[in-house]
Amino acid sequence: MDKILEVKDLHVDFDTYNGTVHAIRGVSFHLNAGETLAIVGESGSGKSITVRSILQLLASNATISKGEILYHGDDLLQKSEKEMNNIRGNKISMIFQDPMTSLDPTMTIGKQVAEPLLIHNNVSKKDAMKRAEEVLRLVGIPNPAARMKDYPHQFSGGQRQRIVIAIAIVDYPEILIADEPTTALDVTVQAEIIDLLRELQQKIGTAIIFITHDLGVVAGIADRVAVMYAGRFVEYGSVEDIFYNPQHPYTWGLLDSMPTLDTNEDARLNSIPGTPPNLLDPPKGDAFAPRNAYAMQIDEEQQPPFFKVSKNHFAATWLLHPDAPKVTPPAAILNRFKKFEQLGGNAK
Amino acid sequence: MEQIPQIPKEKFKLVHDENNAEQEKISTPSLTYMQDVRRRLFKNKVAVVCLTLLSIIVLISIFAPVIAPHDPNAQQVTLSNLPPKLGNLNIPGMNGYQNMGGKMVDAYKQAGAPKGTSFILGTDYLGRDLLSRIIYGTRLSLVVAVLATLVDLLIGVPYGIVSGWKGGKTDTFMQRIVEIVSSIPNLIVVILMMIVLKPGLTSIVIAIAITGWVTMARLVRAQTFQLKEQEYILAARTLGEPSMKIATKHLIPNLSSTIIIQTMFTIPNAIFFEAFLSFIGIGIPAPNASLGTLLSDGQKAFRFLPYQMWAPAIILSIIMIATNLLGDGLRDAFDPQSSDH
Amino acid sequence: MADEREVIVSVKNLKQYFNIGKPNEVKAVDDVSFDIYKGETFGLVGESGSGKSTTGRSIIRLYNPTDGHIFFNGQDISKIKAHGPKMKEFRREMQMIFQDPYASLNPRMKVKDIIAEGLDVHGLVKNDQERDARVRELLDMVNLNPEHMTRYPYEFSGGQRQRIGIARALAVDPQFIIADEPISALDVSIQAQVVNLMQDIQKKQGLTYLFIAHDLSMVKYISDRIAVMYRGKIVELADSNEIYNNPLHAYTQSLLSAIPVPDPEIEKRRTRIDFDHKSPFKDDQRLQEVLPGHFLYCSNEEAATYKK
Ligand SMILES: Nc1ncnc2c1ncn2[C@@H]1O[C@H](COP(=O)(O)OP(=O)(O)OP(=O)(O)O)[C@@H](O)[C@H]1O
Ligand SMILES: Nc1ncnc2c1ncn2[C@@H]1O[C@H](COP(=O)(O)OP(=O)(O)OP(=O)(O)O)[C@@H](O)[C@H]1O
Ligand SMILES: [Mg+2]
Ligand SMILES: [Mg+2]
């Protein structure tokens, strides 16, 4: 598999009135051509900042204090603004959460979809419009030729998100970054958009980085998953690894606190107590330790390194250290381990 | 990743801390919201300085008859246009000397002032004591400012709240009135007032009362519209809180920044409006002084006798700047979130 | 079995229209009838704009219903006067928990004053000591540190704020609580805290909930019965297991088929059922019981096919 993007030891700080917020504290990952990587984590864990760093779309008080972002081996952080503009919307494009605010209400959607082509490629306006029509059909806007002259408010929320996607893929980008593209939508519309993204990926071969806090959505779309907490990745691996053989207590907590349709109604939900740490002053040890029922003394003192679980599966928890005591994960997780064995894996 | 770090074994003991739900315990003192506001205001040094300055100015204006060294309207034509002189202390610029044809001469001696006469800020073209006139003038301008603010707060704020809160037909009706009132230029109201009443403080105040509250009412209405859909207001309604109480407990505290900011505009506007009227000659009638009339008189002699304009201009600026900074401080004081950082 | 249970809220032909007579008239709730039994959790689901919040707000009389009746403990409360003594009494019995943990607490009030608002309105405490003591008790009940009662809302996280909102509702000892998407603004890891708390309190105090939500798996977990709402109407109502195992209305089927499940194997096999939004309702259709305890919006002929 081809690594097309590699992020190495990324650190992002924000200067604020109250001090420096260490929003991203050493994140490394890579993206293979044509795959979907999902990043999950709770609000404020740094998902958006991580992907915005790739395109350098950060707020003015942000500094990338350390790290490399290699796109086909080239460090994007060394590129000039002009070079970056050539990459944005062309090779790497991005879609955002709110379809209401990502479209220009005063411009017809045909023009908006054609615009990236006119900026980046030497095409005539006519060709660009033709291509726009094609792409609008591809994302499932009925009767695109006629509707290209309409304005955003004439479309429903789901259709608007389709148009946003059309703008992002009109240039057949190599990487599509989707930052919670379905969070603002109804479940039925969300399911449609996810199907659409999967279908598009097969047609045009784009790699997708998909951000969400909904594990159900992740299970449906991802090839690989990274779980993020307090500005760091805590576990990453294939979608099967994360859902059937999770190793980090935070991943356990996430999977366990969500009821599924067959959760017994008499059982209590397992909640993760407490709240995420303040990133103005991140803890010295494992940031999850104060909320972790399996915390050890070492968790409070030293940040755990990534331990290898299997070939592509890593988790940053001291529980994987050979000297750590054997702990029993919550019952729901044990059920998942069983499924992993049925699938032919070797659960821990 | 490959290398497994060496860690002492005893570090791998599970620590079940049961009390991890609440990490920190901070007990802030048990004050009421208004006490908190006061505490936050007094922690802001700039605001305290401004508050002190304004209090001094207000006190001086209130006690003007006691404090002013001279009668502000007493003319002594022989002693006109004297420069500042502070007793017999020989401070340059405050010693009664004046540049005349390139030479510094003692203006007091030239005018034949009795020995020992001194005017701290000099006199005007009619020989009136400038300091006394400024004290009385400030008093008058402050009266205008205070009345304008009262009109804003007592008419504008409730009007806006009622209009926004009731909505529907009431709102439409009330907004029509606002539109009508705001479409009449201030100046016309003043001129009409002067036909009915005589020029002076009363007609200025009535003019301000008729038109001044409109902007405040509009802003407050717009904000109330937004606030009334807020869930905490809905919660108060589901608890059965009466509308009056909702207004005082929920609306006004959350409108406070809008109200304060608008008041910060109202005060200088009123003072300038009065000054402008006096300047064009339909404001405070002579011989009474206001900061406006003083400025207008001073401006006429500015080239040769600049102090006549400097002194009232400085006082006016201090009032403006201090109210603005105090307003900022008040706005922050009303916002708990701005507090302890 | 359902018949034996005591009805606490009964909604009959409720209509709630906005901008009546104007071109932008909205029939937010259009002829809705259902009963809620004492002690149960009644879930209300449906797409955005289907009228869930409006239904809740009409029941708690934040709006004046356009038409229809709402019975609470047998009394028609749909027409009682907004500021009369009856309303004041009603306001103690029924309470609401809101969606947005940021907008539902007055930023300029201290936590203790927020929670005590109901106590003050209804004169439930005699003096300040009693008031503080009750606030402490309530904070304790929602698992918050009573020491925090003198803080302002901004000092709390989303989940903690939501618990403050719950404490405010509980202060007046209501029998019935409407929870309008109380967890949808919270993170997964925090949602369970709030849901567990709501269930604990329900058990302890015998509360009845109307639970409005988007998240169908959570609704299934928390609710005893579920109503599915679509464009201002209830299209299906049944026991929560029945709704999930035997959905009859095409919209319910489409909704259920769209729920994402945190299990890749299930996700791979999932097939979405599309629903045609063009003309969902026909004139001869109404909500009727087609199976015991299972209500469906359909015509009489359709109903007959199920009854066989
Ligand atoms: N402009 C900024 N100034 C200061 N801090 C910021 C800024 N932008 C983001 N942060 C902080 O960085 C952290 C990560 O934010 P980020 O937006 O990446 O979170 P997220 O994981 O995308 O969350 P969400 O699910 O809410 O979108 C947060 O703690 C946030 O407060
Ligand atoms: N005060 C109002 N004036 C006019 N229309 C309204 C008002 N409140 C709600 N509506 C409309 O009524 C319909 C139902 O709204 P409601 O808020 O009840 O939906 P909902 O099911 O709660 O949706 P969501 O899941 O987005 O909260 C919507 O079309 C909405 O635009
Ligand atoms: Mg984000
Ligand atoms: Mg709603």
Side-chain angles (χ1 to χ4, degrees):
Chain A
M1 263 187 278
D2 275 353
K3 272 187 201 175
I4 50 174
L5 184 77
E6 188 164 15
V7 172
K8 285 185 177 167
D9 199 24
L10 182 69
H11 285 75
V12 182
D13 293 340
F14 286 94
D15 264 330
T16 70
Y17 197 53
N18 298 327
T20 307
V21 175
H22 304 280
I24 307 295
R25 308 180 298 133
V27 161
S28 307
F29 65 94
H30 70 271
L31 182 71
N32 296 322
E35 73 166 351
T36 302
L37 169 72
I39 304 180
V40 271
E42 59 198 294
S43 187
S45 57
K47 307 179 297 291
S48 301
I49 303 302
T50 303
V51 293
R52 280 172 196 221
S53 308
I54 298 172
L55 287 177
Q56 285 153 54
L57 292 173
L58 293 173
S60 57
N61 62 339
T63 34
I64 298 182
S65 52
K66 202 172 154 198
E68 284 175 308
I69 296 172
L70 306 175
Y71 175 60
H72 289 297
D74 269 358
D75 192 352
L76 292 183
L77 297 177
Q78 309 301 330
K79 297 240 186 268
S80 69
E81 183 59 22
K82 209 170 143 210
E83 288 170 307
M84 274 315 292
N85 271 335
N86 257 328
I87 290 171
R88 284 183 206 132
N90 178 19
K91 303 221 165 68
I92 305 178
S93 57
M94 187 149 177
I95 47 185
F96 297 94
Q97 174 171 346
D98 192 350
M100 308 299 157
T101 53
S102 3
L103 291 171
D104 181 345
T106 63
M107 215 199 240
T108 63
I109 62 146
K111 277 210 186 111
Q112 293 191 52
V113 176
E115 198 173 54
L117 292 172
L118 295 170
I119 295 173
H120 298 294
N121 308 36
N122 248 334
V123 292
S124 71
K125 210 167 159 211
K126 216 174 127 205
D127 289 345
M129 287 311 239
K130 220 165 153 192
R131 175 71 167 281
E133 188 188 325
E134 236 169 73
V135 173
L136 281 170
R137 179 169 299 121
L138 194 65
V139 298
I141 299 288
N143 197 5
R147 300 226 59 185
M148 277 174 64
K149 295 180 198 73
D150 287 346
Y151 290 88
H153 73 265
Q154 290 162 292
F155 295 85
S156 73
Q159 283 177 320
R160 272 182 251 190
Q161 197 60 301
R162 285 171 191 269
I163 295 166
V164 172
I165 293 173
I167 297 173
I169 61 157
V170 68
D171 229 353
Y172 291 174
E174 204 171 356
I175 301 173
L176 177 65
I177 298 173
D179 188 354
E180 312 216 22
T182 59
T183 307
L185 306 174
D186 279 318
V187 258
T188 46
V189 184
Q190 163 171 290
E192 286 168 27
I193 296 289
I194 287 169
D195 283 354
L196 170 69
L197 284 173
R198 276 201 291 223
E199 195 183 309
L200 285 175
Q201 189 171 37
Q202 278 179 358
K203 279 191 193 146
I204 63 179
T206 308
I208 299 178
I209 301 179
F210 193 99
I211 294 183
T212 177
H213 55 253
D214 187 337
L215 286 166
V217 172
V218 176
I221 197 166
D223 299 312
R224 287 194 306 131
V225 183
V227 182
M228 197 162 187
Y229 187 76
R232 299 168 66 93
F233 281 3
V234 295
E235 182 163 7
Y236 60 92
S238 73
V239 69
E240 285 82 15
D241 290 333
I242 299 297
F243 280 91
Y244 300 132
N245 189 24
Q247 296 297 321
H248 197 286
Y250 180 62
T251 318
W252 293 348
L254 279 186
L255 286 167
D256 199 23
S257 53
M258 245 178 107
T260 58
L261 292 181
D262 40 43
T263 300
N264 182 356
E265 270 122 62
D266 301 325
R268 265 172 82 83
L269 290 178
N270 278 309
S271 66
I272 307 180
T275 46
N278 184 351
L279 293 178
L280 274 172
D281 182 21
K284 190 162 116 250
D286 183 358
F288 185 58
R291 302 173 70 187
N292 184 357
Y294 305 93
M296 295 172 289
Q297 203 182 336
I298 180 77
D299 279 309
E300 279 154 25
E301 292 166 12
Q302 200 176 333
Q303 232 156 53
F306 273 108
F307 290 93
K308 188 170 180 168
V309 182
S310 64
K311 186 160 156 276
N312 294 313
H313 182 187
F314 295 87
T317 166
W318 284 116
L319 289 177
L320 292 175
H321 193 277
D323 290 341
K326 285 272 160 283
V327 297
T328 323
I333 303 300
L334 292 175
N335 283 339
R336 287 177 181 270
F337 287 173
K338 262 187 222 137
K339 225 167 182 175
F340 193 60
E341 274 161 24
Q342 283 161 15
L343 291 169
N346 207 350
K348 278 217 153 188
Chain B
M1 270 176 229
E2 299 302 303
Q3 221 177 4
I4 288 167
Q6 288 299 310
I7 308 278
K9 274 211 160 114
E10 69 276 10
K11 300 263 173 179
F12 288 100
K13 266 215 308 273
L14 290 176
V15 282
H16 285 286
D17 43 354
E18 292 299 323
N19 56 346
N20 51 6
E22 299 300 329
Q23 296 100 333
E24 346 99 282
K25 257 196 195 176
I26 305 171
S27 45
T28 32
S30 172
L31 301 172
T32 64
Y33 176 64
M34 281 321 285
Q35 285 171 323
D36 259 359
V37 168
R38 210 170 310 143
R39 187 177 57 93
R40 283 191 290 264
L41 184 67
F42 285 124
K43 258 172 50 183
N44 181 340
K45 292 207 183 60
V46 177
V48 172
V49 170
C50 292
L51 187 63
T52 320
L53 267 180
L54 284 174
S55 312
I56 293 172
I57 293 177
V58 169
L59 282 177
I60 291 179
S61 334
I62 291 174
F63 294 106
V66 189
I67 290 168
H70 297 267
D71 177 351
N73 299 334
Q75 304 180 6
Q76 283 176 282
V77 188
T78 48
L79 301 180
S80 67
N81 288 337
L82 289 178
K85 180 175 178 184
L86 185 60
N88 284 327
L89 307 169
N90 206 354
I91 309 164
M94 293 284 281
N95 54 7
Y97 277 71
Q98 203 171 21
N99 189 336
M100 266 188 177
K103 250 192 4 209
M104 295 301 284
V105 293
D106 186 341
Y108 281 72
K109 210 185 250 167
Q110 266 197 345
K115 234 185 155 38
T117 325
S118 72
F119 298 99
I120 297 177
L121 293 177
T123 57
D124 70 357
Y125 69 106
L126 290 173
R128 294 175 294 200
D129 176 35
L130 210 53
L131 176 63
S132 307
R133 285 184 73 70
I134 287 175
I135 290 174
Y136 276 88
T138 308
R139 166 153 131 152
L140 207 141
S141 293
L142 283 181
V143 167
V144 173
V146 167
L147 289 173
T149 309
L150 280 181
V151 167
D152 253 14
L153 294 182
L154 297 182
I155 302 179
V157 172
Y159 193 97
I161 290 181
V162 170
S163 182
W165 180 255
K166 290 275 177 202
K169 291 206 179 76
T170 319
D171 178 51
T172 315
F173 177 73
M174 290 177 83
Q175 287 314 300
R176 284 299 100 76
I177 295 180
V178 165
E179 276 158 29
I180 293 168
V181 171
S182 63
S183 62
I184 313 169
N186 259 350
L187 200 54
I188 294 188
V189 178
V190 182
I191 292 168
L192 288 175
M193 287 319 302
M194 283 192 320
I195 297 172
V196 186
L197 306 161
K198 54 184 188 343
L201 190 57
T202 330
S203 35
I204 293 176
V205 167
I206 292 178
I208 289 177
I210 290 178
T211 57
W213 53 274
V214 171
T215 322
M216 179 68 95
R218 275 197 174 142
L219 289 173
V220 168
R221 168 186 172 266
Q223 185 92 29
T224 305
F225 249 114
Q226 283 175 11
L227 287 179
K228 79 171 177 184
E229 289 303 317
Q230 295 282 315
E231 289 179 344
Y232 61 84
I233 304 268
L234 296 180
R237 287 175 57 199
T238 63
L239 284 166
E241 193 83 89
S243 304
M244 231 8 232
K245 264 287 188 51
I246 292 184
T248 53
K249 249 170 103 168
H250 297 287
L251 289 174
I252 291 179
N254 285 288
L255 286 165
S256 62
S257 25
T258 309
I259 295 174
I260 290 168
I261 291 169
Q262 180 52 26
T263 310
M264 273 157 53
F265 284 110
T266 300
I267 291 178
N269 269 348
I271 294 179
F272 277 129
F273 183 55
E274 180 279 320
F276 164 71
L277 293 179
S278 304
F279 191 83
I280 62 172
I282 58 173
I284 306 295
N288 290 323
S290 74
L291 286 177
T293 55
L294 290 172
L295 278 173
S296 124
D297 288 349
Q299 179 259 355
K300 287 174 199 145
F302 186 63
R303 278 203 50 201
F304 306 105
L305 306 160
Y307 61 88
Q308 289 190 3
M309 182 152 143
W310 277 127
I314 287 170
I315 295 294
L316 187 58
S317 310
I318 290 177
I319 294 175
M320 307 279 128
I321 293 170
T323 36
N324 264 291
L325 293 178
L326 179 64
D328 276 344
L330 275 174
R331 190 195 51 204
D332 289 346
F334 275 107
D335 181 4
Q337 206 155 344
S338 74
S339 66
D340 305 305
H341 315 303
Chain C
M1 149 213 127
D3 313 322
E4 297 156 21
R5 301 176 62 185
E6 194 181 335
V7 172
I8 185 164
V9 170
S10 174
V11 176
K12 295 261 177 287
N13 305 97
L14 178 68
K15 290 183 184 163
Q16 186 74 60
Y17 298 175
F18 295 109
N19 311 323
I20 297 170
K22 297 201 188 128
N24 57 345
E25 182 176 283
V26 185
K27 298 184 175 181
V29 175
D30 196 11
D31 199 359
V32 157
S33 304
F34 59 89
D35 288 342
I36 299 176
Y37 299 117
K38 205 166 187 127
E40 77 169 341
T41 300
F42 186 89
L44 192 55
V45 296
E47 64 181 0
S48 180
S50 56
K52 305 182 296 293
S53 299
T54 307
T55 306
R57 289 177 180 189
S58 302
I59 293 176
I60 203 167
R61 285 296 311 275
L62 280 172
Y63 302 138
N64 290 324
T66 311
D67 196 14
H69 298 276
I70 302 156
F71 295 93
F72 179 67
N73 283 332
Q75 260 203 21
D76 189 353
I77 50 107
S78 58
K79 307 247 154 40
I80 54 177
K81 273 224 275 323
H83 293 293
K86 277 227 174 105
M87 184 60 105
K88 196 161 177 191
E89 202 180 306
F90 169 64
R91 293 267 177 247
R92 274 194 65 183
E93 308 286 340
M94 195 185 282
Q95 272 302 305
M96 191 150 182
I97 303 170
F98 294 88
Q99 171 173 7
D100 185 344
Y102 291 87
S104 61
L105 307 179
N106 184 343
R108 312 222 156 173
M109 269 163 79
K110 297 192 171 215
V111 167
K112 71 168 181 182
D113 298 317
I114 292 174
I115 293 177
E117 184 161 19
L119 302 177
D120 299 342
V121 172
H122 296 282
L124 300 181
V125 285
K126 286 191 218 69
N127 50 34
D128 274 359
Q129 276 123 308
E130 216 175 284
R131 186 175 185 259
D132 280 4
R134 178 82 176 120
V135 169
R136 281 171 186 281
E137 196 184 316
L138 286 160
L139 278 171
D140 202 48
M141 205 186 288
V142 297
N143 306 332
L144 285 171
N145 187 342
E147 300 304 315
H148 292 172
M149 62 189 243
T150 51
R151 296 218 206 159
Y152 288 96
Y154 77 93
E155 298 173 75
F156 294 85
S157 68
Q160 292 173 325
R161 282 158 168 262
Q162 213 53 325
R163 285 185 266 153
I164 296 172
I166 294 175
R168 168 177 59 195
L170 291 176
V172 294
D173 266 330
Q175 301 178 28
F176 181 70
I177 292 186
I178 298 175
D180 190 356
E181 312 213 21
I183 52 167
S184 47
L186 303 177
D187 272 306
V188 189
S189 81
I190 311 289
Q191 286 183 354
Q193 289 176 12
V194 174
V195 166
N196 282 341
L197 174 71
M198 284 182 65
Q199 290 196 317
D200 291 347
I201 293 171
Q202 180 174 39
K203 250 179 240 147
K204 241 183 267 167
Q205 318 216 348
L207 287 170
T208 310
Y209 289 134
L210 170 61
F211 191 94
I212 300 174
H214 266 117
D215 180 346
L216 291 112
S217 24
M218 197 57 100
V219 174
K220 154 114 194 306
Y221 169 78
I222 199 171
S223 310
D224 300 303
R225 292 188 309 139
I226 294 174
V228 181
M229 224 174 154
Y230 179 74
R231 299 207 182 159
K233 294 189 191 296
I234 287 181
V235 294
E236 190 160 3
L237 190 170
D239 207 75
S240 70
N241 283 318
E242 171 77 4
I243 282 266
Y244 281 82
N245 298 330
N246 184 23
L248 299 177
H249 197 278
Y251 179 70
T252 314
Q253 289 165 359
S254 143
L255 203 58
L256 289 174
S257 77
I259 306 175
V261 184
D263 187 325
E265 289 301 312
I266 298 177
E267 281 294 309
K268 259 179 227 158
R269 279 183 271 120
R270 185 156 65 93
T271 43
R272 202 154 43 72
I273 303 172
D274 274 328
F275 177 70
D276 182 12
H277 295 271
K278 286 262 163 52
S279 53
F281 303 127
K282 294 191 192 65
D283 282 341
D284 59 347
Q285 293 180 323
R286 63 190 173 87
L287 189 68
Q288 48 188 311
E289 193 166 3
V290 293
L291 295 169
H294 192 148
F295 295 80
L296 179 68
Y297 194 83
C298 63
S299 65
N300 293 341
E301 295 90 79
E302 287 168 282
T305 60
Y306 295 111
K307 279 178 182 153
K308 262 181 246 160

